[in-house]
Amino acid sequence: MTTRQTKKTVVFSHPFELNGVDRTLPPGAYRVVTDEEQIEDLSFPVYRRMATMIFVPAESGNASSVEMVTIDPRDLQTAQELDLNHGA
């Protein structure tokens, strides 16, 4: 089974909430990683998302500590849209 991982950075300008995280997150840049696996036996490469994770500041308050939280990419998209429209 072939797997791949894609990485991106998303930026929030305002505090935001995300399903799967039990607190409000501060504005800033967040690393998002998506793991996918290739569906075999097709004549062209097709990948299925297995998991999407976001790295958020740990609750401990230590600036260098982060935790990885599995999220639904649709929830991330909704949070980004709300952040974009926050000032509107």
Side-chain angles (χ1 to χ4, degrees):
M1 179 179 337
T2 303
T3 61
R4 71 179 181 185
Q5 188 175 73
T6 57
K7 301 173 185 177
K8 68 178 180 177
T9 300
V10 296
V11 178
F12 287 91
S13 299
H14 306 93
F16 67 102
E17 295 182 354
L18 200 55
N19 286 340
V21 181
D22 60 354
R23 63 191 179 281
T24 300
L25 296 168
Y30 290 83
R31 184 168 46 129
V32 176
V33 176
T34 300
D35 291 333
E36 299 171 310
E37 71 176 0
Q38 187 173 8
I39 298 173
E40 303 292 332
D41 301 326
L42 296 176
S43 59
F44 52 92
V46 174
Y47 288 85
R48 172 179 53 214
R49 181 179 47 83
M50 300 303 294
T52 299
M53 291 80 58
I54 189 169
F55 291 82
V56 300
E59 261 188 296
S60 67
N62 183 343
S64 63
S65 296
V66 295
E67 61 181 295
M68 182 177 70
V69 180
T70 301
I71 59 168
D72 185 321
R74 293 172 294 198
D75 293 338
L76 179 61
Q77 180 66 37
T78 299
Q80 289 178 287
E81 289 169 2
L82 289 171
D83 185 65
L84 186 62
N85 295 322
H86 189 268

